Amino acid sequence: MNAPDAAPSPLAPSASASFDFDRPVSTVEALKRSISNRLVYSVGKDVRSACARDWLFAVFYAVRDRIMDRWRETHHAAIDQDAKRVYYLSMEFLPGRMLTNALAAEGLLEDIRKACTQLGADFDTLVDLEADPGLGNGGLGRLAACFLDSMATLALPGMGYGIRYEYGMFAQRIVDGRQVEEPDQWLLNGNPWEFMRPEYSYTVRYRGHLVPDGQRVRWVDTENVIAVAYDSGVPGYELSSVATLRLWSARAESALNLEQFNRGDYMRAVEAKNWSENVSLVLYPEDKTEQGRQLRLRQEYFFVSASLQDLLRRYLKTHGSFEQLADKVAIHLNDTHPALAVPELMRLLVDEHRVPWDEAWALCQRIFSYTNHTLMPEALEVWPVDLLGWLLPRHLQIIYDINARHLAEVHARFPEDMDLLRRVSLIEENGQRRVRMAWLCALASHKVNGVSALHSDIMVRTLFADFARLWPEKFCNVTNGITPRRWLGQANQALSELIDARIGPLWRRELSHLGQLRAHADDDAFLAALRLVKQRNKRRLADYVGRELGIEIDPESLFDVQVKRIHEYKRQLLNVLHVITRYHAIRANPKGNWVPRTVIFGGKAASAYHMAKLIIRLINDVARTVNADPCVSPLLKVVFVPNYRVTLAELIIPAADLSEQISLAGTEASGTGNMKFALNGALTIGTWDGANIEIAQNVGEEHMFIFGNRAEQVAELRAHGYVPRRYYASNYELKMAIDRIADGAFSPEEPQRYQDLTRSLLESDYYQLLADYADYIATQNRVDERYRLHRDWSRSCLHNIAGVGMFSSDRAVSNYAEGIWGVRPLFEGGRPATPPWSPALAAGI
Ligand SMILES: *Cc1c(COP(=O)(O)O)cnc(C)c1O
């Protein structure tokens, strides 16, 4: 028998040796103890064998342990108070990394850093190992994550429901200038933040047959998939409460067909399993292709059905009937992706719980609310009735029944107007019959909101004009917001500390406090300190770009940044036209008095979106040409930063001088990137679109660079035959820029490469780049003029920071809580932000 004489102590020597368990210990000592314990007992390693990932997990568990009490208290408070809860249904969540966010919420960031150092682990290295869950495409998913953060901070009872995609948003690499997509295996090493809750599993059914049975319908012979819950805690600031994000993962009903397996047919044996588990395998790309649409519909129903079964179970644990359902439950639909929640709640109530139809429908109309995120016709969800009826026969039947009653009601009110019936019908009848999901959401909801003042206004005048005539009180605005904890506190610690020193730390809970900074607008020392902070952040980004891309950029140059999804309506191509114009101008006059610029792009294109991918390639071709030109590149550099995601946004945005928000007026519903930049002291060059307008109203137009046609002019041009060639023919610089792209100046090895792009610009130019080009160029020149005046520029930075107080997601979520959901904070600590209520909401539109 071997004597275990040399066995290592289960505790890390540095942690165990010095402990006297009866003595109160400092926070750092306590953290060291829990990390060491977690390393040994949860990760199964010790200091001698631990790799960096083991340390990361040990730290994660130690940090997670510290939210558990508050998480339980939050849960118990909701039960004990029999509180009304809000369930936020969203196909997408982009939470970003959890570790530093949780540490900041716990107030342990500095202590954990010390604890790690003393244990011999480098905290910054660990932080960088954490995966960034890309469970969304862009702004919509990030909004959902900011809202959960605010719900937690305001201690509002409720939770987020979504899908635990095995593969999130693809990872983007740039190879020879082109986007290459790689699977994002974010769960490969496990997820130390989540809890699997197999006890909360639900059967989700598809296909099958319907058997009428009195008032109800029995749905039989279905194909079944099991939805299994995974919970993550979302800690609010100073742990005011801990919200829950519950994501569903698909599991096959039976793992494998044993009979086939025993016959040696291994592939067939697991086929059914693979097929059903496909449901939560991949995040569906934003821009639809025909292929995979059926899978998308399966996904939508999958998470909606599991979530509704789950919330009804929770309600019935403490209530004997459905009488109070609408007083205890609010369900929010984040865009139309969860629209099947409407027929699903009807089915559960009518078919499974035998609630009479009219009562069930009355409940629905008190429970649901819906946020519209886009007015662009191609982005409005419609499902062919054939597909819907094939996959979910009972739901199609319920939708037809809802529609019949709805049309009868409308007809009774407006018996003359037969075309109105066609327009407001849930079923679109031209050619293929399709279900209009936005109509379904609007009909079932008691409130429908847009996400900026302009968007809400256009929404009731165009898309929902008929509905707004029928139910004017339904429609309202809640302007989007962002969480100041992540987007200033975490992403820009240097600026946070500077602000703390002037106005204290309370802005983290009440962002309107930033308005106090205006008192320092003429304080030269403060303005210099602001410049210094920006300089540090720019150097940090320059180091990253040098290290990762091998491109040297000058932190003294003006950082001009456009990071967001690549989409024609966001007009990255207009930005490129400016870059080319500037390139030509510098070449023509290299000795001119230029302000050196670094133009930074980032963003992913949907894999099937040809034009967006061409734009990425053009950016990279232009970057190659410009950066290689020795007479230009000291004055102009172009960088495409690959794989834009929340983690990169936190690095890039604090380093920006200029924020590009240049969508065609009337197309960007709100934008939230614009808010993040302004909060970090960048000046916006932007169109009169989305939340840019409200930012201008709060910050002061003189501290931004607004240009281009407004929404009415855009509509006017479109209505009266927009002719892009007129602008091309009459503007020499513009003609030069487009001609050089077309003749291959940036792609000499393949001169035809951008034909599709230039032809589309000259022949249709749907997003009217050419109409705004001249004003954009002139405005970019004004940017240079202002940037030269350091002090003026810094004052404008300050006014941007000071003016964005209302764009906190705490304000947005308070608006929802009070005006739409009817939910109240569970704890005193989670007091609602004082409402700068959007006037449109208070009044109803
Ligand atoms: C904020 C954010 C967005 C939204 O940016 P917009 O400029 O509003 O389109 C998209 N992606 C990520 C990763 C973000 O953090």
Side-chain angles (χ1 to χ4, degrees):
M1 224 172 112
N2 290 327
D5 50 357
S9 151
L11 287 179
S14 60
S16 61
S18 61
F19 267 108
D20 165 1
F21 285 89
D22 296 327
R23 170 170 64 85
V25 290
S26 75
T27 312
V28 174
E29 289 303 323
L31 283 169
K32 279 165 64 182
R33 187 201 293 174
S34 38
I35 294 170
S36 304
N37 279 337
R38 286 309 222 147
L39 184 67
V40 171
Y41 298 111
S42 301
V43 181
K45 291 283 190 75
D46 59 42
V47 279
R48 293 173 30 167
S49 57
C51 65
R53 178 198 156 272
D54 298 325
W55 280 114
L56 174 69
F57 275 45
V59 171
F60 245 119
Y61 292 133
V63 171
R64 195 182 64 177
D65 288 346
R66 282 169 167 69
I67 70 167
M68 296 313 295
D69 286 343
R70 196 56 170 165
W71 200 356
R72 248 193 343 268
E73 282 166 14
T74 305
H75 187 62
H76 290 161
I79 296 172
D80 296 346
Q81 298 174 25
D82 192 17
K84 184 174 186 181
R85 298 189 226 212
V86 56
Y87 298 104
Y88 196 85
L89 268 52
S90 180
M91 280 287 272
E92 303 186 13
F93 285 93
L94 270 186
R97 287 176 174 164
M98 311 274 180
L99 185 59
T100 37
N101 185 250
L103 282 166
E106 294 167 353
L108 290 178
L109 206 48
E110 287 321 306
D111 290 331
I112 209 100
R113 194 182 288 279
K114 284 186 203 135
C116 284
T117 309
Q118 290 178 22
L119 290 170
D122 178 44
F123 180 69
D124 292 325
T125 308
L126 300 187
V127 164
D128 225 31
L129 281 178
E130 184 187 346
D132 181 342
L135 311 182
N137 282 291
L140 175 138
R142 182 55 231 173
L143 183 76
C146 281
F147 281 7
L148 272 187
D149 181 275
S150 286
M151 281 167 57
T153 295
L154 298 171
L156 294 170
M159 57 204 280
Y161 276 122
I163 299 178
R164 183 178 176 272
Y165 302 103
E166 190 122 357
Y167 298 91
M169 184 79 241
F170 63 82
Q172 178 195 54
R173 283 199 306 136
I174 301 296
V175 179
D176 297 332
R178 266 181 296 200
Q179 168 174 299
V180 173
E181 297 122 33
E182 288 177 349
D184 162 42
Q185 304 196 55
W186 73 291
L187 290 170
L188 198 65
N189 293 320
N191 176 0
W193 193 248
E194 70 185 6
F195 290 92
M196 179 164 81
R197 305 281 192 207
E199 71 277 27
Y200 300 126
S201 294
Y202 300 92
T203 302
V204 176
R205 302 188 290 160
Y206 302 97
R207 313 271 323 263
H209 302 289
L210 304 181
V211 183
D213 178 9
Q215 298 293 307
R216 59 198 278 256
V217 171
R218 285 192 299 121
W219 187 16
V220 298
D221 303 333
T222 49
E223 287 174 12
N224 300 344
V225 176
I226 309 298
V228 182
Y230 285 75
D231 288 355
S232 297
V234 180
Y237 181 60
E238 290 178 328
L239 292 190
S240 53
S241 83
V242 178
T244 303
L245 173 59
R246 176 162 288 181
L247 301 177
W248 301 105
S249 182
R251 167 153 325 156
E253 216 176 19
S254 56
L256 86 176
N257 184 323
L258 211 61
E259 201 181 309
Q260 281 166 349
F261 186 84
N262 290 338
R263 280 205 309 268
D265 195 352
Y266 302 124
M267 298 304 279
R268 289 275 297 284
V270 294
E271 205 172 68
K273 171 182 160 70
N274 288 343
W275 171 239
S276 38
E277 293 182 1
N278 264 346
V279 172
S280 60
L281 197 63
V282 284
L283 170 74
Y284 195 76
E286 187 165 36
D287 284 80
K288 304 171 180 68
T289 53
E290 201 46 44
Q291 230 197 1
R293 281 177 62 77
Q294 188 212 110
L295 184 59
R296 166 77 171 192
L297 191 59
R298 279 185 191 264
Q299 287 188 332
E300 291 185 355
Y301 180 62
F302 169 74
F303 99 98
V304 146
S305 175
S307 306
L308 291 195
Q309 293 183 61
D310 190 46
L311 70 88
L312 284 187
R313 171 198 57 79
R314 186 171 306 111
Y315 170 84
L316 287 173
K317 261 200 325 202
T318 48
H319 301 86
S321 78
F322 288 102
E323 212 170 299
Q324 286 198 78
L325 188 66
D327 302 319
K328 299 299 171 190
V329 169
I331 301 176
H332 196 83
L333 308 173
N334 191 26
D335 211 327
T336 58
H337 319 139
L340 288 167
V342 175
E344 175 67 354
L345 184 57
M346 287 299 287
R347 184 188 72 80
L348 289 168
L349 291 175
V350 173
D351 291 352
E352 310 230 323
H353 296 283
R354 297 170 187 266
V355 177
W357 178 281
D358 289 340
E359 277 172 41
W361 182 243
L363 285 173
C364 279
Q365 286 190 305
R366 290 176 60 207
I367 288 172
F368 286 111
S369 51
Y370 152 62
T371 298
N372 172 273
H373 285 274
T374 176
L375 302 171
M376 288 194 286
E378 69 273 21
L380 291 172
E381 247 190 323
V382 285
W383 288 105
V385 296
D386 293 343
L387 175 57
L388 198 61
W390 174 80
L391 190 67
L392 298 166
R394 178 57 178 145
H395 296 77
L396 180 63
Q397 200 176 59
I398 289 172
I399 289 169
Y400 279 147
D401 287 351
I402 293 172
N403 197 35
R405 289 168 161 87
H406 157 58
L407 293 180
E409 215 174 281
V410 173
H411 184 59
R413 283 178 63 186
F414 299 94
E416 256 73 274
D417 195 345
M418 293 311 284
D419 194 56
L420 178 64
L421 291 186
R422 183 188 61 76
R423 295 200 305 271
V424 301
S425 172
L426 300 186
I427 312 295
E428 177 186 278
E429 302 273 3
N430 49 5
Q432 200 187 21
R433 290 160 62 98
R434 298 186 296 186
V435 181
R436 295 159 160 159
M437 304 310 261
W439 276 207
L440 179 60
C441 292
L443 179 61
S445 296
H446 64 100
K447 287 284 180 198
V448 176
N449 74 285
V451 288
S452 72
L454 175 73
H455 166 69
S456 297
D457 186 54
I458 303 179
M459 177 179 83
V460 294
R461 285 190 293 107
T462 58
L463 183 67
F464 288 129
D466 290 320
F467 282 64
R469 182 154 72 106
L470 290 166
W471 309 289
E473 69 292 346
K474 246 188 209 193
F475 293 89
C476 61
N477 174 59
V478 182
T479 299
N480 281 168
I482 56 171
T483 168
R485 274 78 61 185
R486 181 174 293 266
W487 295 112
L488 181 52
Q490 177 176 324
N492 200 342
Q493 280 184 38
L495 181 56
S496 302
E497 284 163 22
L498 183 61
I499 295 172
D500 288 349
R502 292 287 159 144
I503 65 166
L506 294 181
W507 54 269
R508 290 178 179 77
R509 266 186 191 280
E510 183 48 77
L511 198 62
S512 60
H513 283 191
L514 291 181
Q516 297 167 18
L517 290 173
R518 291 201 183 95
H520 303 278
D522 294 311
D523 177 344
D524 283 326
F526 188 66
L527 296 180
L530 266 182
R531 262 197 303 280
L532 212 63
V533 162
K534 184 62 81 181
Q535 211 52 39
R536 269 172 63 180
N537 292 331
K538 287 166 74 173
R539 191 167 296 283
R540 183 174 70 156
L541 177 58
D543 288 346
Y544 176 87
V545 167
R547 196 170 64 240
E548 297 291 322
L549 310 177
I551 303 175
E552 195 184 318
I553 59 176
D554 176 9
E556 300 292 328
S557 65
L558 186 160
F559 278 17
D560 170 353
V561 182
Q562 189 172 22
V563 286
K564 47 180 73 236
R565 286 303 293 242
I566 310 290
H567 205 294
E568 286 166 285
Y569 86 84
K570 293 177 181 280
R571 304 205 293 189
Q572 280 90 356
L573 192 49
L574 181 58
N575 191 344
V576 175
L577 289 175
H578 164 249
V579 170
I580 295 174
T581 303
R582 181 171 286 251
Y583 171 61
H584 290 155
I586 296 175
R587 275 181 60 119
N589 179 18
K591 296 266 176 336
N593 182 22
W594 299 102
V595 172
R597 271 207 201 209
T598 303
V599 184
I600 296 165
F601 291 89
K604 294 173 183 175
S607 58
Y609 192 170
H610 172 61
M611 281 297 184
K613 287 186 144 176
L614 263 186
I615 292 169
I616 290 180
R617 194 158 194 203
L618 177 61
I619 293 169
N620 284 295
D621 274 344
V622 170
R624 184 184 53 168
T625 312
V626 170
N627 298 349
D629 189 326
C631 99
V632 174
S633 70
L635 300 170
L636 181 62
K637 277 259 167 71
V638 183
V639 178
F640 187 94
V641 185
N643 207 23
Y644 183 60
R645 60 198 189 283
V646 173
T647 300
L648 258 189
E650 291 172 27
L651 174 70
I652 294 173
I653 292 172
D657 293 307
L658 187 65
S659 156
E660 299 269 354
Q661 308 298 337
I662 59 178
S663 52
L664 176 67
T667 61
E668 185 73 271
S670 162
T672 48
N674 45 6
M675 302 166 187
K676 299 170 197 164
F677 279 99
L679 181 61
N680 282 277
L683 274 57
T684 301
I685 182 166
T687 45
W688 201 245
D689 197 18
N692 292 355
I693 299 171
E694 288 152 272
I695 294 175
Q697 289 163 348
N698 283 272
V699 162
E701 241 187 278
E702 66 277 24
H703 302 296
M704 295 169 67
F705 301 95
I706 301 292
F707 73 95
N709 285 331
R710 304 208 165 182
E712 315 86 77
Q713 295 164 300
V714 168
E716 181 104 344
L717 270 183
R718 194 165 282 165
H720 295 102
Y722 171 62
V723 185
R725 270 189 195 276
R726 276 195 203 136
Y727 301 89
Y728 168 82
S730 64
N731 186 322
Y732 177 73
E733 290 176 311
L734 172 60
K735 182 171 183 305
M736 273 268 285
I738 294 178
D739 287 352
R740 289 296 83 79
I741 299 173
D743 69 21
F746 303 100
S747 55
E749 65 281 23
E750 188 192 350
Q752 308 292 300
R753 184 173 291 161
Y754 297 109
Q755 255 196 356
D756 286 355
L757 264 188
T758 50
R759 194 187 308 124
S760 150
L761 267 186
L762 292 176
E763 286 172 12
S764 67
D765 188 20
Y766 187 77
Y767 295 102
Q768 301 186 359
L769 279 65
L770 273 49
D772 280 347
Y773 169 86
D775 197 11
Y776 183 52
I777 300 295
T779 307
Q780 286 286 16
N781 293 332
R782 286 203 288 125
V783 170
D784 287 351
E785 292 312 312
R786 179 84 64 88
Y787 193 73
R788 273 188 239 278
L789 310 173
H790 280 320
R791 194 166 175 282
D792 280 13
W793 184 275
S794 298
R795 282 188 80 238
S796 288
C797 289
L798 180 145
H799 279 284
N800 271 269
I801 301 165
V804 292
M806 80 153 269
F807 300 98
S808 166
S809 48
D810 297 344
R811 186 273 313 152
V813 165
S814 302
N815 286 176
Y816 281 104
E818 293 168 31
I820 297 178
W821 303 331
V823 298
R824 304 176 52 77
L826 289 168
F827 306 116
E828 278 299 317
R831 55 198 175 279
T834 47
W837 269 86
S838 33
L841 178 65
I845 289 180

